[in-house]
Amino acid sequence: MPQIPEKIHELTVGQLAARSGAAVSALHFYESKGLISSRRTSGNQRRFSRDALRRVAFVRAAQRVGIPLATIREALSELPEGRTPTRDDWARLSASWRSELDERIKQLNRLRDHLTDCIGCGCLSLDTCVLSNPDDAFGETRAGSRLLVERKSRHPVGRTCTPTPTNCD
C-alpha cells in the first residue's frame, strides 16, 4: 500500500483510491452523493483533504453492515466540515443504527430458518408460506404479492402481528 508523506495534506483521486481500497468510480460516486468533498486545482483536478481517508473508511464500514447511503450522509453531515469521524463519532452513530441492524438480522434468520419452505417471494395466496402468510391468513382479503420485510400487519381477524407463524398477539 503506498504511503503518503505527512507533509502532503491533499490527495489525488488515485492516491485516495489506493489508500482507501475504493475504486475511483466509487469515490466519484461518494462525492456526487455528498459523502466526501474535494476542491479543484487550476487544472481542474480533484484534490481531497487527508480526512477523506477516514470518511471513506467510515462510509465503507457502514455500507458493509447495510446502512443506506442517505443515512450515512445524514450522519456525516452532523460532523463539522473538515473533521474526520472519530471513534466516539462511530460509537454514537452506530448505536443509533443498532435497532435497524437487529431487525435485519431477525429477518435474515427467519428467512434462513424457513428457506426450504419458501423462496421468500412473499406470495399472499400460498397456504404453506410460513414466512409471510401463515395459514393463508391474507388469501381471502388480498391478492398479489407483498414484501417479506413488512414490519407490522393486521390479520383479517384483527390481531396485530409480525408476519411470522409464532409471533401473533
Side-chain angles (χ1 to χ4, degrees):
M1 180 178 317
Q3 296 296 316
I4 300 170
E6 282 295 319
K7 64 183 179 182
I8 297 176
H9 297 287
E10 292 185 319
L11 309 171
T12 66
V13 70
Q15 289 170 321
L16 182 58
R19 286 292 310 273
S20 68
V24 169
S25 59
L27 297 173
H28 290 170
F29 178 75
Y30 292 164
E31 186 177 17
S32 74
K33 295 299 181 186
L35 299 166
I36 59 175
S37 60
S38 67
R39 72 169 186 86
R40 296 293 182 136
T41 66
S42 58
N44 202 28
Q45 297 174 332
R46 288 179 170 88
R47 291 293 184 264
F48 295 89
S49 61
R50 290 178 69 91
D51 75 295
L53 279 169
R54 174 121 356 125
R55 285 180 173 258
V56 170
F58 183 93
V59 169
R60 295 184 77 197
Q63 280 186 298
R64 274 193 293 278
V65 296
I67 304 301
L69 285 179
T71 303
I72 298 168
R73 180 179 51 246
E74 183 179 310
L76 286 172
S77 72
E78 296 176 13
L79 301 174
E81 190 60 39
R83 182 169 75 68
T84 59
T86 64
R87 181 181 303 261
D88 290 338
D89 293 328
W90 178 255
R92 178 176 44 83
L93 295 168
S94 63
S96 69
W97 299 332
R98 187 173 202 78
S99 63
E100 181 182 336
L101 294 174
D102 287 343
E103 181 60 31
R104 277 199 215 143
I105 290 167
K106 280 176 30 182
Q107 291 171 356
L108 288 170
N109 283 334
R110 189 172 69 232
L111 178 59
R112 181 203 59 216
D113 294 345
H114 295 286
L115 199 55
T116 58
D117 299 333
C118 177
I119 61 169
C121 66
C123 178
L124 290 174
S125 61
L126 291 176
D127 58 1
T128 60
C129 186
V130 297
L131 292 174
S132 63
N133 191 25
D135 303 319
D136 197 22
F138 295 103
E140 293 180 20
T141 60
R142 295 185 184 168
S145 63
R146 67 169 197 195
L147 297 176
L148 176 64
V149 296
E150 182 177 311
R151 301 267 190 239
K152 294 278 185 181
S153 61
R154 308 261 327 145
H155 275 290
V157 293
R159 295 180 296 161
T160 302
C161 86
T162 304
T164 64
T166 60
N167 199 16
C168 292
D169 53 31

